[in-house]
Amino acid sequence: MIGLITGQVQYLMAPTACIMTTSGVGYDIELPLPSFCQLQLNEQASIWTHFHVREDAQLLYGFIDRKERDVFRQLIKINGVGAKMALAMLSAMSAAELKMHVEQESETALTRIPGIGKKTAQRLLIELKDKLKNIEVDSSGSFELTPQETTISHEGSIIAEVEGALISLGYKEKEAQLAIKAAKSKGDTFTDTQGLLKATLQQLSGF
């Protein structure tokens, strides 16, 4: 079981994956968007991992925050929720937000996530209530990313990266573009992908 990898971020891949090298070995790791956005190319990082074995593949999923990994593990235990859907959920909202919505039985918040319909949301609320109650997460419920900024001088590059990430999560191109436009219309200046991505996800989630 591979539970934690500390090494150098060797390569960042679209939509949200990286190759991390340590002791001469490169590990291919898929991550949710918040964790992916905190990685810096050629910098050291520690990633909590979940080793997932299927009949046709052996996969590593990674998380900057160990509690996010704990929530991911609870999500994939639910019938009908695979690793891809669990990653999409933790890309659209933090573990704290997910726990808050489950406690408040907010079906609407879950149906805003691509791929989750009303019936799936109802089942998630029922099954997650007990699974998440013993996992301690930041009670603020805010969408927080560690401020490791990747400065990109050209605004068009930032927008393109955010749009591509949203489309990879299942949002339609027009929907992603409108959300980006709405995030930018508030007058904030975004000098990095992470900042615009955070604001755009909040627009899409209705927060």
Side-chain angles (χ1 to χ4, degrees), residues 92 112-114 166-173 175-176 201 204-205:
R112 293 193 184 107
I113 301 171
L166 293 172
I167 291 172
S168 74
L169 281 176
Y171 292 102
K172 295 180 180 179
E173 182 178 355
E175 187 179 15
L201 283 172
L204 288 164
S205 298

Side-chain angles (χ1 to χ4, degrees), residues 37-52:
C37 287
Q38 293 182 57
L39 298 179
Q40 298 288 325
L41 189 62
N42 298 323
E43 295 292 332
Q44 292 288 311
S46 292
I47 298 179
W48 295 91
T49 58
H50 173 79
F51 184 50
H52 191 70

